[in-house]
Every structure is written in C-alpha cells, then in structure tokens.
Amino acid sequence: MAKSPFLESVRTEIRTKQYSYRTEQSYLYWIRQFILFNDKKHPEVMGNHEIERFLNHLAVNRGVSPCSSPHLNRTPW
C-alpha cells in the first residue's frame, strides 16, 4: 500500500516532538479514522463541521466518551 504524504508529514512532526511510539500510533489511527469517515477528503479541506460530525459519530455510534479521546483535540495537524 502506498504511503500517504500527509500521514508521513504527521509522523515526521510527531517524531520531531519526540512523542512516544504508542502516541504516534494512536494519533495516526485516529487521523486515518477521521479521513475515512469523511469519504477520504484531505484534512486541509475540512473544518469544524467535519470534526463535530466525527466526534458525534464516535460518541453516539461507537460509545467513545469525550474523556477517553482528549488527544483528538491536540493532534498536530
């Protein structure tokens, strides 16, 4: 599978900030989920509306509580 230039730039940023490997994996997982949920649109063309839809989806359909995913608001992208 081809590597996404966007995800590679996020990975580079995370490593530059010396975050742990587990944090890197978690951030990349949630970023991929966000992109897939929004029909593979690039994050640069999305805004608050898409973020709110995704977070509502997680809370309502996947049972993810807001306190279990606070890092979603701190992602480096």
Side-chain angles (χ1 to χ4, degrees):
M1 181 162 80
K3 292 188 178 188
S4 159
F6 175 74
L7 291 177
E8 285 303 309
S9 71
V10 171
R11 184 186 313 273
T12 299
E13 183 69 21
I14 290 169
R15 289 180 180 180
T16 300
K17 294 182 181 215
Q18 299 182 342
Y19 289 5
S20 75
Y21 178 73
R22 296 285 291 152
T23 299
E24 174 185 322
Q25 295 305 303
S26 180
Y27 277 23
L28 292 173
Y29 171 81
W30 285 112
I31 292 168
R32 279 188 207 99
Q33 294 303 308
F34 176 67
I35 292 169
L36 292 172
F37 177 79
N38 287 289
D39 301 319
K40 298 184 180 181
K41 286 196 278 184
H42 196 283
E44 287 181 351
V45 300
M46 294 188 273
N48 289 335
H49 176 72
E50 288 84 2
I51 294 169
E52 288 178 22
R53 280 185 49 235
F54 181 62
L55 294 176
N56 285 332
H57 163 72
L58 292 177
V60 173
N61 300 322
R62 300 223 4 224
V64 177
S65 70
C67 64
S68 68
S69 56
H71 62 277
L72 291 174
N73 293 325
R74 295 190 312 246
T75 55
W77 45 282

